[in-house]
mmCIF file of all heavy atoms in Angstrom:
data_model
loop_
_atom_site.group_PDB
_atom_site.id
_atom_site.type_symbol
_atom_site.label_atom_id
_atom_site.label_comp_id
_atom_site.label_asym_id
_atom_site.label_seq_id
_atom_site.Cartn_x
_atom_site.Cartn_y
_atom_site.Cartn_z
ATOM 1 N N PHE A 19 3.695 -5.976 -9.949
ATOM 2 C CA PHE A 19 4.580 -6.158 -8.816
ATOM 3 C C PHE A 19 4.754 -4.847 -8.063
ATOM 4 O O PHE A 19 4.557 -3.786 -8.704
ATOM 5 C CB PHE A 19 5.966 -6.691 -9.249
ATOM 6 C CG PHE A 19 6.706 -5.764 -10.082
ATOM 7 C CD1 PHE A 19 7.751 -5.010 -9.616
ATOM 8 C CD2 PHE A 19 6.435 -5.697 -11.484
ATOM 9 C CE1 PHE A 19 8.417 -4.120 -10.426
ATOM 10 C CE2 PHE A 19 7.106 -4.807 -12.278
ATOM 11 C CZ PHE A 19 8.118 -4.006 -11.757
ATOM 12 N N GLY A 20 4.939 -4.936 -6.740
ATOM 13 C CA GLY A 20 5.008 -3.784 -5.968
ATOM 14 C C GLY A 20 6.388 -3.383 -5.488
ATOM 15 O O GLY A 20 7.283 -4.329 -5.360
ATOM 16 N N LEU A 21 6.540 -2.202 -5.151
ATOM 17 C CA LEU A 21 7.952 -1.673 -4.861
ATOM 18 C C LEU A 21 8.074 -1.150 -3.404
ATOM 19 O O LEU A 21 9.108 -0.424 -3.107
ATOM 20 C CB LEU A 21 8.378 -0.581 -5.877
ATOM 21 C CG LEU A 21 8.601 -0.976 -7.323
ATOM 22 C CD1 LEU A 21 8.915 0.226 -8.132
ATOM 23 C CD2 LEU A 21 9.678 -2.073 -7.393
ATOM 24 N N TRP A 22 7.034 -1.391 -2.595
ATOM 25 C CA TRP A 22 7.190 -0.908 -1.199
ATOM 26 C C TRP A 22 8.351 -1.540 -0.529
ATOM 27 O O TRP A 22 8.570 -2.893 -0.784
ATOM 28 C CB TRP A 22 5.936 -1.206 -0.517
ATOM 29 C CG TRP A 22 5.930 -0.866 1.000
ATOM 30 C CD1 TRP A 22 6.266 0.337 1.529
ATOM 31 C CD2 TRP A 22 5.569 -1.654 2.119
ATOM 32 N NE1 TRP A 22 6.143 0.373 2.842
ATOM 33 C CE2 TRP A 22 5.665 -0.858 3.226
ATOM 34 C CE3 TRP A 22 5.034 -2.915 2.254
ATOM 35 C CZ2 TRP A 22 5.344 -1.281 4.511
ATOM 36 C CZ3 TRP A 22 4.739 -3.395 3.554
ATOM 37 C CH2 TRP A 22 4.832 -2.550 4.704
ATOM 38 N N GLN A 23 9.227 -0.894 0.174
ATOM 39 C CA GLN A 23 10.328 -1.376 0.915
ATOM 40 C C GLN A 23 11.413 -1.916 0.002
ATOM 41 O O GLN A 23 12.383 -2.611 0.477
ATOM 42 C CB GLN A 23 9.866 -2.441 1.946
ATOM 43 C CG GLN A 23 9.118 -1.809 3.124
ATOM 44 C CD GLN A 23 8.815 -2.770 4.198
ATOM 45 O OE1 GLN A 23 8.602 -3.999 3.911
ATOM 46 N NE2 GLN A 23 8.745 -2.266 5.363
ATOM 47 N N VAL A 24 11.409 -1.660 -1.309
ATOM 48 C CA VAL A 24 12.411 -2.109 -2.134
ATOM 49 C C VAL A 24 13.474 -0.954 -2.079
ATOM 50 O O VAL A 24 13.120 0.185 -2.317
ATOM 51 C CB VAL A 24 12.004 -2.308 -3.657
ATOM 52 C CG1 VAL A 24 13.126 -2.624 -4.558
ATOM 53 C CG2 VAL A 24 10.928 -3.419 -3.638
ATOM 54 N N ASP A 45 3.849 -1.159 -9.389
ATOM 55 C CA ASP A 45 3.130 -0.342 -8.439
ATOM 56 C C ASP A 45 4.122 0.362 -7.536
ATOM 57 O O ASP A 45 4.820 -0.200 -6.750
ATOM 58 C CB ASP A 45 2.238 -1.194 -7.580
ATOM 59 C CG ASP A 45 1.492 -0.386 -6.479
ATOM 60 O OD1 ASP A 45 0.481 0.263 -6.878
ATOM 61 O OD2 ASP A 45 1.966 -0.298 -5.348
ATOM 62 N N GLY A 46 4.228 1.658 -7.648
ATOM 63 C CA GLY A 46 5.112 2.488 -6.853
ATOM 64 C C GLY A 46 4.346 3.563 -6.094
ATOM 65 O O GLY A 46 3.131 3.601 -6.079
ATOM 66 N N TYR A 50 7.597 5.681 -1.188
ATOM 67 C CA TYR A 50 8.533 4.530 -1.261
ATOM 68 C C TYR A 50 9.948 5.033 -1.483
ATOM 69 O O TYR A 50 10.999 4.235 -1.347
ATOM 70 C CB TYR A 50 8.118 3.460 -2.291
ATOM 71 C CG TYR A 50 6.807 2.878 -2.088
ATOM 72 C CD1 TYR A 50 6.145 2.115 -3.113
ATOM 73 C CD2 TYR A 50 6.011 2.975 -0.855
ATOM 74 C CE1 TYR A 50 4.817 1.566 -2.937
ATOM 75 C CE2 TYR A 50 4.803 2.433 -0.752
ATOM 76 C CZ TYR A 50 4.228 1.697 -1.782
ATOM 77 O OH TYR A 50 2.987 1.140 -1.620
ATOM 78 N N LYS A 75 1.612 7.126 -6.257
ATOM 79 C CA LYS A 75 0.542 7.558 -5.379
ATOM 80 C C LYS A 75 0.987 8.874 -4.698
ATOM 81 O O LYS A 75 2.180 9.110 -4.459
ATOM 82 C CB LYS A 75 0.322 6.488 -4.222
ATOM 83 C CG LYS A 75 0.213 5.092 -4.752
ATOM 84 C CD LYS A 75 -0.020 4.022 -3.545
ATOM 85 C CE LYS A 75 0.020 2.672 -4.162
ATOM 86 N NZ LYS A 75 1.380 2.068 -4.188
ATOM 87 N N LEU A 106 -2.902 7.364 -7.649
ATOM 88 C CA LEU A 106 -3.743 7.073 -6.511
ATOM 89 C C LEU A 106 -3.539 8.032 -5.425
ATOM 90 O O LEU A 106 -2.400 8.525 -5.106
ATOM 91 C CB LEU A 106 -3.501 5.600 -5.966
ATOM 92 C CG LEU A 106 -3.581 4.527 -6.971
ATOM 93 C CD1 LEU A 106 -3.206 3.195 -6.277
ATOM 94 C CD2 LEU A 106 -5.018 4.326 -7.466
ATOM 95 N N HIS A 108 -3.014 7.946 -1.599
ATOM 96 C CA HIS A 108 -2.417 6.791 -0.911
ATOM 97 C C HIS A 108 -3.300 6.437 0.265
ATOM 98 O O HIS A 108 -3.559 5.196 0.525
ATOM 99 C CB HIS A 108 -0.987 7.159 -0.451
ATOM 100 C CG HIS A 108 -0.147 5.894 -0.318
ATOM 101 N ND1 HIS A 108 1.189 5.945 -0.599
ATOM 102 C CD2 HIS A 108 -0.357 4.743 0.120
ATOM 103 C CE1 HIS A 108 1.725 4.765 -0.440
ATOM 104 N NE2 HIS A 108 0.782 4.052 0.097
ATOM 105 N N TRP A 109 -3.759 7.395 1.085
ATOM 106 C CA TRP A 109 -4.633 7.111 2.243
ATOM 107 C C TRP A 109 -5.638 8.281 2.353
ATOM 108 O O TRP A 109 -5.222 9.464 1.963
ATOM 109 C CB TRP A 109 -3.808 7.042 3.539
ATOM 110 C CG TRP A 109 -2.906 5.876 3.625
ATOM 111 C CD1 TRP A 109 -1.550 5.915 3.267
ATOM 112 C CD2 TRP A 109 -3.157 4.598 4.220
ATOM 113 N NE1 TRP A 109 -1.063 4.627 3.493
ATOM 114 C CE2 TRP A 109 -2.011 3.889 4.211
ATOM 115 C CE3 TRP A 109 -4.323 4.134 4.891
ATOM 116 C CZ2 TRP A 109 -1.959 2.560 4.704
ATOM 117 C CZ3 TRP A 109 -4.196 2.810 5.425
ATOM 118 C CH2 TRP A 109 -3.068 2.042 5.273
ATOM 119 N N SER A 139 -6.656 4.671 -2.649
ATOM 120 C CA SER A 139 -6.112 3.535 -1.961
ATOM 121 C C SER A 139 -6.467 3.718 -0.503
ATOM 122 O O SER A 139 -6.518 4.784 0.094
ATOM 123 C CB SER A 139 -4.543 3.554 -2.021
ATOM 124 O OG SER A 139 -4.014 2.482 -1.328
ATOM 125 N N ASN A 140 -6.912 2.623 0.118
ATOM 126 C CA ASN A 140 -7.325 2.600 1.544
ATOM 127 C C ASN A 140 -8.576 3.399 1.829
ATOM 128 O O ASN A 140 -8.704 3.952 2.847
ATOM 129 C CB ASN A 140 -6.068 3.053 2.366
ATOM 130 C CG ASN A 140 -4.920 2.119 2.201
ATOM 131 O OD1 ASN A 140 -4.950 0.962 2.391
ATOM 132 N ND2 ASN A 140 -3.818 2.733 1.730
ATOM 133 N N GLN A 161 -7.065 0.591 -4.118
ATOM 134 C CA GLN A 161 -6.109 -0.355 -3.705
ATOM 135 C C GLN A 161 -6.142 -0.565 -2.191
ATOM 136 O O GLN A 161 -5.894 0.339 -1.468
ATOM 137 C CB GLN A 161 -4.692 0.171 -4.189
ATOM 138 C CG GLN A 161 -3.585 -0.815 -3.904
ATOM 139 C CD GLN A 161 -2.200 -0.334 -4.267
ATOM 140 O OE1 GLN A 161 -1.390 -0.124 -3.390
ATOM 141 N NE2 GLN A 161 -1.958 -0.151 -5.517
ATOM 142 N N ILE A 162 -6.503 -1.703 -1.784
ATOM 143 C CA ILE A 162 -6.736 -2.002 -0.365
ATOM 144 C C ILE A 162 -6.106 -3.254 0.120
ATOM 145 O O ILE A 162 -5.727 -4.068 -0.723
ATOM 146 C CB ILE A 162 -8.236 -2.112 -0.065
ATOM 147 C CG1 ILE A 162 -8.912 -3.221 -0.875
ATOM 148 C CG2 ILE A 162 -8.936 -0.774 -0.298
ATOM 149 C CD1 ILE A 162 -10.339 -3.503 -0.578
ATOM 150 N N SER A 186 -5.346 -5.679 -4.666
ATOM 151 C CA SER A 186 -5.008 -6.205 -3.398
ATOM 152 C C SER A 186 -3.567 -5.898 -2.996
ATOM 153 O O SER A 186 -2.621 -6.371 -3.696
ATOM 154 C CB SER A 186 -5.157 -7.690 -3.387
ATOM 155 O OG SER A 186 -6.373 -8.112 -3.820
ATOM 156 N N TRP A 187 -3.461 -5.161 -1.863
ATOM 157 C CA TRP A 187 -2.007 -4.949 -1.368
ATOM 158 C C TRP A 187 -1.767 -5.907 -0.199
ATOM 159 O O TRP A 187 -2.651 -6.426 0.440
ATOM 160 C CB TRP A 187 -1.689 -3.591 -1.094
ATOM 161 C CG TRP A 187 -2.339 -2.743 -0.001
ATOM 162 C CD1 TRP A 187 -3.201 -1.672 -0.193
ATOM 163 C CD2 TRP A 187 -2.173 -2.707 1.462
ATOM 164 N NE1 TRP A 187 -3.567 -1.110 1.016
ATOM 165 C CE2 TRP A 187 -2.989 -1.757 2.061
ATOM 166 C CE3 TRP A 187 -1.396 -3.549 2.333
ATOM 167 C CZ2 TRP A 187 -2.984 -1.464 3.385
ATOM 168 C CZ3 TRP A 187 -1.394 -3.315 3.702
ATOM 169 C CH2 TRP A 187 -2.231 -2.255 4.240
ATOM 170 N N THR A 188 -0.483 -6.133 0.036
ATOM 171 C CA THR A 188 -0.073 -7.254 1.008
ATOM 172 C C THR A 188 -0.894 -8.584 0.681
ATOM 173 O O THR A 188 -1.525 -9.114 1.559
ATOM 174 C CB THR A 188 -0.152 -6.877 2.514
ATOM 175 O OG1 THR A 188 0.618 -5.602 2.684
ATOM 176 C CG2 THR A 188 0.561 -7.835 3.342
ATOM 177 N N PRO A 189 -0.822 -8.970 -0.618
ATOM 178 C CA PRO A 189 -1.745 -10.014 -1.042
ATOM 179 C C PRO A 189 -1.355 -11.353 -0.353
ATOM 180 O O PRO A 189 -2.246 -12.214 -0.244
ATOM 181 C CB PRO A 189 -1.563 -10.064 -2.528
ATOM 182 C CG PRO A 189 -0.276 -9.460 -2.737
ATOM 183 C CD PRO A 189 -0.107 -8.310 -1.735
ATOM 184 N N LEU A 190 -0.047 -11.500 -0.112
ATOM 185 C CA LEU A 190 0.359 -12.748 0.582
ATOM 186 C C LEU A 190 0.134 -12.750 2.101
ATOM 187 O O LEU A 190 0.300 -13.794 2.729
ATOM 188 C CB LEU A 190 1.846 -13.086 0.252
ATOM 189 C CG LEU A 190 2.091 -13.178 -1.286
ATOM 190 C CD1 LEU A 190 3.617 -13.229 -1.603
ATOM 191 C CD2 LEU A 190 1.377 -14.343 -1.901
ATOM 192 N N GLY A 191 -0.288 -11.628 2.666
ATOM 193 C CA GLY A 191 -0.678 -11.603 4.062
ATOM 194 C C GLY A 191 0.426 -11.972 4.976
ATOM 195 O O GLY A 191 0.222 -12.668 6.019
ATOM 196 N N GLN A 192 1.675 -11.659 4.637
ATOM 197 C CA GLN A 192 2.867 -12.022 5.471
ATOM 198 C C GLN A 192 2.973 -13.441 5.679
ATOM 199 O O GLN A 192 3.501 -13.958 6.744
ATOM 200 C CB GLN A 192 2.886 -11.149 6.795
ATOM 201 C CG GLN A 192 2.901 -9.709 6.505
ATOM 202 C CD GLN A 192 2.689 -8.848 7.774
ATOM 203 O OE1 GLN A 192 2.196 -9.328 8.799
ATOM 204 N NE2 GLN A 192 3.028 -7.477 7.718
ATOM 205 N N GLY A 193 2.436 -14.280 4.808
ATOM 206 C CA GLY A 193 2.662 -15.680 4.899
ATOM 207 C C GLY A 193 1.808 -16.360 5.914
ATOM 208 O O GLY A 193 1.903 -17.559 6.137
ATOM 209 N N PHE A 196 -0.169 -19.441 4.635
ATOM 210 C CA PHE A 196 0.528 -20.427 3.792
ATOM 211 C C PHE A 196 0.276 -21.885 4.250
ATOM 212 O O PHE A 196 0.162 -22.797 3.443
ATOM 213 C CB PHE A 196 2.046 -20.213 3.680
ATOM 214 C CG PHE A 196 2.479 -19.043 2.821
ATOM 215 C CD1 PHE A 196 1.576 -18.250 2.169
ATOM 216 C CD2 PHE A 196 3.801 -18.762 2.661
ATOM 217 C CE1 PHE A 196 1.984 -17.135 1.422
ATOM 218 C CE2 PHE A 196 4.298 -17.693 1.885
ATOM 219 C CZ PHE A 196 3.343 -16.865 1.237
ATOM 220 N N SER A 211 3.024 -23.540 -5.169
ATOM 221 C CA SER A 211 3.388 -23.126 -3.876
ATOM 222 C C SER A 211 2.222 -22.434 -3.230
ATOM 223 O O SER A 211 1.242 -21.985 -3.949
ATOM 224 C CB SER A 211 4.540 -22.077 -3.948
ATOM 225 O OG SER A 211 4.164 -20.888 -4.502
ATOM 226 N N ALA A 213 2.093 -19.533 -1.989
ATOM 227 C CA ALA A 213 1.968 -18.218 -2.541
ATOM 228 C C ALA A 213 1.322 -18.150 -3.841
ATOM 229 O O ALA A 213 0.411 -17.236 -4.110
ATOM 230 C CB ALA A 213 3.369 -17.566 -2.683
ATOM 231 N N GLN A 214 1.645 -19.130 -4.642
ATOM 232 C CA GLN A 214 1.024 -19.190 -6.011
ATOM 233 C C GLN A 214 -0.566 -19.395 -5.910
ATOM 234 O O GLN A 214 -1.382 -18.861 -6.629
ATOM 235 C CB GLN A 214 1.651 -20.170 -6.858
ATOM 236 C CG GLN A 214 3.040 -19.792 -7.434
ATOM 237 C CD GLN A 214 3.792 -20.830 -8.121
ATOM 238 O OE1 GLN A 214 3.719 -22.037 -7.661
ATOM 239 N NE2 GLN A 214 4.348 -20.545 -9.219
ATOM 240 N N LEU A 217 -2.124 -16.074 -4.764
ATOM 241 C CA LEU A 217 -2.169 -15.111 -5.842
ATOM 242 C C LEU A 217 -3.281 -15.521 -6.892
ATOM 243 O O LEU A 217 -3.953 -14.731 -7.393
ATOM 244 C CB LEU A 217 -0.819 -14.905 -6.490
ATOM 245 C CG LEU A 217 0.240 -14.307 -5.574
ATOM 246 C CD1 LEU A 217 1.568 -14.393 -6.260
ATOM 247 C CD2 LEU A 217 -0.145 -12.933 -5.108
ATOM 248 N N ILE A 228 -0.778 -7.236 -6.582
ATOM 249 C CA ILE A 228 0.573 -6.622 -6.797
ATOM 250 C C ILE A 228 1.609 -7.155 -5.804
ATOM 251 O O ILE A 228 2.081 -6.379 -4.944
ATOM 252 C CB ILE A 228 0.477 -5.095 -6.745
ATOM 253 C CG1 ILE A 228 -0.349 -4.623 -5.558
ATOM 254 C CG2 ILE A 228 -0.175 -4.599 -8.099
ATOM 255 C CD1 ILE A 228 -0.293 -3.102 -5.273
ATOM 256 N N PRO A 229 1.896 -8.490 -5.808
ATOM 257 C CA PRO A 229 2.921 -9.041 -4.871
ATOM 258 C C PRO A 229 4.309 -8.349 -5.071
ATOM 259 O O PRO A 229 4.591 -7.857 -6.135
ATOM 260 C CB PRO A 229 2.967 -10.481 -5.207
ATOM 261 C CG PRO A 229 2.574 -10.539 -6.659
ATOM 262 C CD PRO A 229 1.587 -9.437 -6.848
ATOM 263 N N ARG A 230 4.998 -8.470 -3.964
ATOM 264 C CA ARG A 230 6.423 -7.933 -3.994
ATOM 265 C C ARG A 230 7.390 -9.055 -3.813
ATOM 266 O O ARG A 230 7.268 -9.864 -2.855
ATOM 267 C CB ARG A 230 6.600 -6.873 -2.924
ATOM 268 C CG ARG A 230 7.983 -6.503 -2.610
ATOM 269 C CD ARG A 230 8.109 -5.431 -1.575
ATOM 270 N NE ARG A 230 7.374 -5.719 -0.346
ATOM 271 C CZ ARG A 230 7.898 -6.101 0.737
ATOM 272 N NH1 ARG A 230 9.242 -6.303 0.902
ATOM 273 N NH2 ARG A 230 7.220 -6.380 1.806
ATOM 274 N N SER A 231 8.467 -9.042 -4.669
ATOM 275 C CA SER A 231 9.634 -9.872 -4.329
ATOM 276 C C SER A 231 10.786 -9.187 -4.972
ATOM 277 O O SER A 231 10.625 -8.571 -6.015
ATOM 278 C CB SER A 231 9.475 -11.228 -4.857
ATOM 279 O OG SER A 231 10.642 -11.986 -4.630
ATOM 280 N N THR A 232 11.902 -9.127 -4.326
ATOM 281 C CA THR A 232 13.069 -8.611 -4.943
ATOM 282 C C THR A 232 13.883 -9.673 -5.612
ATOM 283 O O THR A 232 14.909 -9.302 -6.249
ATOM 284 C CB THR A 232 13.917 -7.779 -3.862
ATOM 285 O OG1 THR A 232 14.171 -8.723 -2.755
ATOM 286 C CG2 THR A 232 13.220 -6.590 -3.348
ATOM 287 N N ARG A 233 13.684 -10.873 -5.367
ATOM 288 C CA ARG A 233 14.489 -11.949 -5.962
ATOM 289 C C ARG A 233 13.968 -12.355 -7.261
ATOM 290 O O ARG A 233 12.667 -12.613 -7.413
ATOM 291 C CB ARG A 233 14.412 -13.215 -5.091
ATOM 292 C CG ARG A 233 15.091 -13.028 -3.601
ATOM 293 C CD ARG A 233 14.930 -14.320 -2.837
ATOM 294 N NE ARG A 233 13.502 -14.851 -2.774
ATOM 295 C CZ ARG A 233 13.133 -16.028 -3.364
ATOM 296 N NH1 ARG A 233 14.044 -16.775 -3.926
ATOM 297 N NH2 ARG A 233 11.871 -16.308 -3.238
ATOM 298 N N GLY A 236 11.664 -15.309 -6.972
ATOM 299 C CA GLY A 236 10.351 -15.027 -6.368
ATOM 300 C C GLY A 236 9.422 -14.259 -7.343
ATOM 301 O O GLY A 236 8.232 -14.491 -7.423
ATOM 302 N N GLU A 239 8.161 -16.863 -9.735
ATOM 303 C CA GLU A 239 7.143 -17.704 -9.150
ATOM 304 C C GLU A 239 5.872 -16.966 -9.091
ATOM 305 O O GLU A 239 4.795 -17.574 -9.364
ATOM 306 C CB GLU A 239 7.722 -18.016 -7.715
ATOM 307 C CG GLU A 239 6.662 -18.957 -6.946
ATOM 308 C CD GLU A 239 7.153 -19.303 -5.510
ATOM 309 O OE1 GLU A 239 8.362 -19.297 -5.198
ATOM 310 O OE2 GLU A 239 6.262 -19.510 -4.732
ATOM 311 N N ASN A 240 5.902 -15.685 -8.713
ATOM 312 C CA ASN A 240 4.522 -15.035 -8.629
ATOM 313 C C ASN A 240 3.920 -14.653 -9.930
ATOM 314 O O ASN A 240 2.743 -14.331 -9.916
ATOM 315 C CB ASN A 240 4.814 -13.768 -7.734
ATOM 316 C CG ASN A 240 5.273 -14.074 -6.334
ATOM 317 O OD1 ASN A 240 5.154 -15.157 -5.799
ATOM 318 N ND2 ASN A 240 5.841 -13.037 -5.641
HETATM 319 P P1 NAD B 1 3.366 -9.061 -0.208
HETATM 320 O O1 NAD B 1 2.097 -9.681 0.207
HETATM 321 O O2 NAD B 1 3.538 -8.945 -1.662
HETATM 322 O O3 NAD B 1 4.526 -9.786 0.496
HETATM 323 C C1 NAD B 1 5.805 -9.444 0.326
HETATM 324 C C2 NAD B 1 6.618 -10.401 1.233
HETATM 325 O O4 NAD B 1 6.352 -11.736 0.839
HETATM 326 C C3 NAD B 1 8.114 -10.208 1.122
HETATM 327 O O5 NAD B 1 8.672 -10.411 2.405
HETATM 328 C C4 NAD B 1 8.512 -11.249 0.053
HETATM 329 O O6 NAD B 1 9.884 -11.622 0.253
HETATM 330 C C5 NAD B 1 7.624 -12.380 0.384
HETATM 331 N N1 NAD B 1 7.295 -13.136 -0.749
HETATM 332 C C6 NAD B 1 7.004 -12.667 -2.078
HETATM 333 N N2 NAD B 1 6.717 -13.646 -2.907
HETATM 334 C C7 NAD B 1 6.874 -14.805 -2.161
HETATM 335 C C8 NAD B 1 6.654 -16.181 -2.490
HETATM 336 N N3 NAD B 1 6.415 -16.531 -3.713
HETATM 337 N N4 NAD B 1 6.837 -17.139 -1.549
HETATM 338 C C9 NAD B 1 7.090 -16.680 -0.271
HETATM 339 N N5 NAD B 1 7.201 -15.475 0.201
HETATM 340 C C10 NAD B 1 7.150 -14.501 -0.780
HETATM 341 O O7 NAD B 1 3.306 -7.614 0.575
HETATM 342 P P2 NAD B 1 3.594 -6.231 0.341
HETATM 343 O O8 NAD B 1 4.963 -5.882 -0.199
HETATM 344 O O9 NAD B 1 3.234 -5.613 1.630
HETATM 345 O O10 NAD B 1 2.508 -5.671 -0.600
HETATM 346 C C11 NAD B 1 2.702 -5.731 -2.091
HETATM 347 C C12 NAD B 1 2.763 -4.408 -2.603
HETATM 348 O O11 NAD B 1 1.455 -3.730 -2.369
HETATM 349 C C13 NAD B 1 3.765 -3.383 -2.112
HETATM 350 O O12 NAD B 1 5.015 -3.703 -2.560
HETATM 351 C C14 NAD B 1 3.199 -2.100 -2.518
HETATM 352 O O13 NAD B 1 3.470 -1.872 -3.906
HETATM 353 C C15 NAD B 1 1.734 -2.316 -2.334
HETATM 354 N N6 NAD B 1 1.233 -1.832 -0.979
HETATM 355 C C16 NAD B 1 0.444 -0.820 -0.873
HETATM 356 C C17 NAD B 1 -0.045 -0.285 0.248
HETATM 357 C C18 NAD B 1 -0.923 0.943 0.219
HETATM 358 O O14 NAD B 1 -1.175 1.455 1.229
HETATM 359 N N7 NAD B 1 -1.532 1.253 -0.850
HETATM 360 C C19 NAD B 1 0.380 -0.843 1.411
HETATM 361 C C20 NAD B 1 1.223 -1.874 1.393
HETATM 362 C C21 NAD B 1 1.606 -2.419 0.202
#
Side-chain angles (χ1 to χ4, degrees):
F19 64 100
L21 292 176
W22 181 46
Q23 292 186 328
V24 177
D45 182 77
Y50 300 166
K75 312 184 190 85
L106 304 177
H108 208 140
W109 293 86
S139 179
N140 302 302
Q161 186 184 112
I162 57 173
S186 307
W187 64 253
T188 308
L190 299 174
Q192 298 171 344
F196 283 5
S211 69
Q214 288 172 317
L217 295 174
I228 47 170
R230 163 176 55 103
S231 180
T232 51
R233 296 178 310 115
E239 180 182 332
N240 295 343

